[in-house]
Amino acid sequence: MCENDDVMRDAKSNRTCTIICRLTPGEYQQLEKKFKASTCRKLSEFVRKRLFDRPYVTTYRNASLDDFMSEMMKLRTELNALGNNFNQAVKKLHTLNQIPEFKHWLITHEQDKQKLFGKMDVIKDSINKIADKWLL
């Protein structure tokens, strides 16, 4: 029940009325699947649009692009970690006073550099694979 019977006033009105609807787990999964396929940010927004027959936009996902983006996010995380290690090594270099510490830093730096270049090669290979798929 609601204090204000004018349900479809302007869009900026405060929504004070609630509806309680019980769903089975299967029904809720179907609703959530349709909601996630839409561009609506909140489930309540999606339900209101469906309830009042308002148009809503569904998204189309490109599986190969999703795979590419997932791989790029993993690589970005690894590159960020390598970059942080490299920055810490450079900061350490500025505080060194003794030559043995400097030699250790050079060895560590070379190892980090090799890891970085290896990850860069992985990124290049991933980009080339995706480009080959798209160009076919």
Side-chain angles (χ1 to χ4, degrees):
M1 192 158 219
C2 185
E3 297 169 5
N4 185 357
D5 291 332
D6 188 9
V7 176
M8 299 296 290
R9 276 199 312 184
D10 61 68
K12 294 184 180 184
S13 68
N14 289 334
R15 291 185 171 92
T16 58
C17 303
T18 59
I19 297 175
I20 297 174
C21 178
R22 298 190 186 276
L23 302 173
T24 66
E27 291 170 334
Y28 186 78
Q29 284 178 348
Q30 287 178 353
L31 178 65
E32 195 171 47
K33 182 179 177 183
K34 290 179 182 182
F35 161 64
K36 287 182 178 179
S38 76
T39 58
C40 296
R41 292 184 179 207
K42 295 188 177 187
L43 181 61
S44 59
E45 174 190 3
F46 175 76
V47 171
R48 275 192 300 275
K49 286 185 177 190
R50 292 292 304 253
L51 183 63
F52 296 117
D53 296 322
R54 293 183 185 152
Y56 63 95
V57 178
T58 58
T59 58
Y60 172 76
R61 303 292 298 209
N62 184 325
S64 62
L65 183 58
D66 285 346
D67 293 342
F68 173 74
M69 291 307 295
S70 176
E71 187 66 27
M72 290 299 106
M73 286 186 276
K74 289 177 191 175
L75 290 171
R76 180 182 60 192
T77 301
E78 290 179 27
L79 284 173
N80 284 338
L82 286 171
N84 287 339
N85 290 345
F86 186 77
N87 285 337
Q88 289 172 0
V90 170
K91 287 179 182 178
K92 177 78 172 172
L93 174 65
H94 291 291
T95 63
L96 294 179
N97 293 328
Q98 299 176 350
I99 292 180
E101 289 182 37
F102 183 69
K103 287 180 184 177
H104 176 72
W105 179 84
L106 284 175
I107 293 168
T108 305
H109 171 269
E110 189 60 34
Q111 291 170 349
D112 287 344
K113 186 174 93 174
Q114 292 303 319
K115 286 181 190 177
L116 179 62
F117 289 157
K119 292 299 175 184
M120 290 171 71
D121 288 339
V122 171
I123 290 172
K124 289 177 188 175
D125 290 342
S126 295
I127 291 171
N128 288 338
K129 286 177 186 176
I130 295 296
D132 289 343
K133 286 181 184 178
W134 280 98
L135 294 176
L136 290 178

